[in-house]
Amino acid sequence: MIPIILDVDTGVDDALALGLALTARELSVMAVTTVAGNVDLEQTTRNSRRVLDWLGAAAVPVAAGASRPLLRPHSDARPSHGPDGLGGASLPTRQSGPILDATAPEVIVRTARRYAGRLRVVCLGPLTNVAMAVRLEPRLPVLIERLVVMGGAFAVSGNVTPVAEFNVWSDPEAASIVIEAGFDAVWVGLDVTTIIRLTRVEWERLARLPHATARLVYEVSRWAFEECRVESYALHDPLAVAVAARPELVAGERARLAVMTSPEEKRGQTLYVPDTNATDVVATKVDAEAFLRLFRNSLGLADGNERVTARSAVDAP
Ligand code: RIB
Ligand code: CA
């Protein structure tokens, strides 16, 4: 089992990523750290705790982190995730799990020291918490076995501006600090995540599945399919979690990265130069069918699946 921390700005796809992380047999979730992103910090923390509780994983500790980017005001993504950031999901509001006094950066550092050389950190929101953790513990890139970052748009258009992806655009200074720190990192950007989509047809099929994971996917997807009226939406964050569990799902190339912080029209643009000696890998191809099998099987989304139970760190060996 791979010990992981999920750093999230729960959000619709973060919620699905939490579900995948809790059910994928390769992963053991040690903690969830929250950051302002899709919605504000209080809401991302509330949403994360609701999802954990709903999936029977309330034992997974949650630590709140940055309420805004390092240097900039917080900008949310409510139009894509709904006013509550959870797609208007009709799920219980119970949040019975522990919320730690320690901050998200402190929890990242402490857990990295405890699992020295084994911990994978899966970054699903702006990189503010990880940047602050590096400032706390400069040895973090050595202590953490691998960073998996949902972020960047390397050879494709952005989703906030023509050149920038939301997580990197939100806090480009934090992304720069993370890149300069020298982590062994896999960047799962829009180049591959936009290929991985949940379709309306699949969503409508989930309506009749009773178990908690299928209800989670169905309920958080309401905003996309009922309000935004899209025919599909990208599973950005679940793909990053899947890559933490099964790196072979993507192919990539080692590259030296940089992030533009100015001028404003270039803010958050991710640049890369292929370099076989670099510590960063940019994902360029994805086995979409293999991902969808993992996603459906782990979450029990195929018809007639047995009830899927989430496993929290407490249960993990
Ligand atoms: O650009 C997509 C990313 O931004 C995802 O992590 C989504 O949840 C938002 O945080
Ligand atoms: Ca996210």
Side-chain angles (χ1 to χ4, degrees):
M1 301 278 281
I2 303 165
I4 67 169
I5 279 183
L6 291 169
D7 190 64
V8 296
D9 62 334
T10 307
V12 167
D13 58 328
D14 303 72
L16 303 186
L18 282 167
L20 181 57
L22 290 166
T23 52
R25 66 174 183 279
E26 298 88 345
L27 304 176
S28 179
V29 183
M30 298 292 112
V32 171
T33 53
T34 60
V35 65
N38 289 318
V39 286
D40 62 34
L41 177 67
E42 184 185 356
Q43 192 71 52
T44 62
T45 305
R46 181 181 307 125
N47 290 345
S48 302
R49 296 179 71 206
R50 280 180 65 188
V51 170
L52 289 169
D53 205 303
W54 172 248
L55 294 179
V60 175
V62 173
S67 59
R68 50 164 292 178
L70 294 178
L71 300 180
R72 301 167 186 266
H74 169 231
S75 300
D76 68 39
R78 279 187 164 83
S80 305
H81 294 263
D84 68 354
L86 212 50
S90 172
L91 292 171
T93 56
R94 193 177 57 246
Q95 306 158 56
S96 64
I99 184 157
L100 301 175
D101 291 334
T103 66
E106 290 167 342
V107 168
I108 292 169
V109 170
R110 290 177 191 173
T111 312
R113 288 172 178 156
R114 178 179 169 199
Y115 292 94
R118 293 177 53 219
L119 182 69
R120 286 182 189 172
V121 177
V122 187
C123 309
L124 304 180
L127 290 163
T128 319
N129 288 340
V130 181
M132 293 169 83
V134 171
R135 286 284 184 266
L136 269 181
E137 171 52 89
R139 295 181 304 130
L140 205 59
V142 174
L143 293 170
I144 286 178
E145 186 257 344
R146 182 177 310 166
L147 219 53
V148 180
V149 180
M150 193 281 124
F154 297 92
V156 295
S157 303
N159 60 359
V160 180
T161 70
V163 297
E165 177 278 324
F166 178 79
N167 288 338
V168 173
W169 176 88
S170 294
D171 197 343
E173 288 76 17
S176 293
I177 289 169
V178 169
I179 289 167
E180 286 154 22
F183 287 96
D184 281 332
V186 181
W187 290 73
V188 181
L190 299 184
D191 309 67
V192 289
T193 64
T194 50
I195 297 168
I196 306 294
R197 309 188 74 82
L198 181 71
T199 65
R200 179 184 293 274
V201 169
E202 171 105 6
W203 175 67
E204 288 168 346
R205 187 179 61 76
L206 299 179
R208 59 177 177 267
L209 297 182
H211 50 273
T213 47
R215 300 301 306 149
L216 174 74
V217 180
Y218 185 81
E219 287 296 335
V220 303
S221 302
R222 280 186 187 278
W223 181 260
F225 293 118
E226 292 180 348
E227 299 299 324
C228 302
R229 309 293 304 160
V230 297
E231 288 310 304
S232 70
Y233 72 90
L235 296 177
H236 304 288
D237 293 342
L239 180 58
V241 166
V243 170
R246 299 189 187 167
E248 70 278 7
L249 284 174
V250 296
E253 63 180 327
R254 289 194 173 277
R256 279 180 289 117
L257 308 184
V259 176
M260 299 291 287
T261 54
S262 64
E264 188 60 15
E265 63 270 18
K266 293 281 189 186
R267 168 186 170 178
Q269 182 174 10
T270 39
L271 308 171
Y272 76 117
V273 175
D275 177 346
T276 53
N277 297 315
T279 59
D280 288 301
V281 174
V282 172
T284 55
K285 292 187 180 63
V286 58
D287 183 341
E289 277 310 306
F291 166 80
L292 287 170
R293 277 196 304 277
L294 173 66
F295 186 70
R296 289 186 186 119
N297 292 342
S298 297
L299 290 169
L301 303 184
D303 281 319
N305 259 272
E306 292 306 311
R307 180 178 177 78
V308 175
T309 53
R311 185 185 53 258
S312 68
V314 176
D315 310 337

